Amino acid sequence: MLQDLDALSQRIRQVVQLARDLQSERAGLQARVRQLEQEYQALKDQQLREGEEFARMSERLARHDQEIQAVREESDQHRAALESEARDHRVRSDSLQRRLIQVESERDRLREAATGAQQQIELILERLPGAQA
């Protein structure tokens, strides 16, 4: 019977030791769970911050795209206005060039007429009495 009590005592010590080991392991696991929960929360917070940053960057990108589009449209308008102005200047230049040719032609005719008239006047003056020969 003493042997049975010793065996039972031994068995109780083993159960107590096993219970202590389990409690220690449980405490370790609970500490690990708390640590993992903290890491999870930190990662969740980081994800939230990065999501907000992504949203801000997306908005900036959209604004920049709109600004670029507006600048392109304005540039297209300026280019169209400049091209129209260049066409107008070419038309005016062509018109002035034609007018210059006409004026030069008229000038040449008038010079020829003036030269002819001058020659006729000189001939008439030469024929007048008292003209110096």
Side-chain angles (χ1 to χ4, degrees):
M1 172 117 164
L2 206 46
Q3 253 182 343
D4 289 337
L5 288 176
D6 282 340
L8 182 60
S9 172
Q10 182 65 22
R11 187 79 174 128
I12 290 174
R13 278 193 293 274
Q14 288 175 345
V15 169
V16 167
Q17 184 60 40
L18 182 59
R20 285 184 187 147
D21 290 346
L22 287 174
Q23 285 178 342
S24 175
E25 187 177 335
R26 179 177 177 225
L29 288 173
Q30 285 176 334
R32 180 73 177 133
V33 165
R34 282 190 297 275
Q35 179 185 2
L36 289 174
E37 285 174 346
Q38 289 172 351
E39 288 177 16
Y40 168 78
Q41 190 60 43
L43 289 172
K44 191 174 177 182
D45 292 345
Q46 180 181 354
Q47 180 188 22
L48 198 66
R49 286 189 308 272
E50 289 175 356
E52 290 169 354
E53 180 68 19
F54 179 78
R56 282 193 302 275
M57 288 297 160
S58 293
E59 290 172 9
R60 270 181 81 187
L61 182 62
R63 275 195 318 273
H64 287 179
D65 285 346
Q66 290 172 348
E67 290 171 6
I68 288 171
Q69 185 61 31
V71 168
R72 282 184 181 152
E73 289 171 2
E74 185 179 348
S75 172
D76 290 345
Q77 291 172 354
H78 285 299
R79 183 175 57 246
L82 289 173
E83 287 173 352
S84 175
E85 191 176 333
R87 278 192 303 276
D88 292 346
H89 285 297
R90 275 194 298 278
V91 167
R92 182 161 165 68
S93 174
D94 292 346
S95 173
L96 289 173
Q97 188 70 28
R98 285 191 301 276
R99 179 73 180 125
L100 178 63
I101 291 170
Q102 289 173 349
V103 167
E104 286 176 346
S105 175
E106 182 69 22
R107 182 199 63 201
D108 291 344
R109 277 196 311 264
L110 288 174
R111 271 193 185 153
E112 288 174 12
T115 302
Q118 188 176 1
Q119 288 173 353
Q120 286 180 356
I121 291 171
E122 286 175 1
L123 285 174
I124 291 173
L125 290 176
E126 285 177 7
R127 291 186 197 161
L128 288 175
Q132 293 180 356

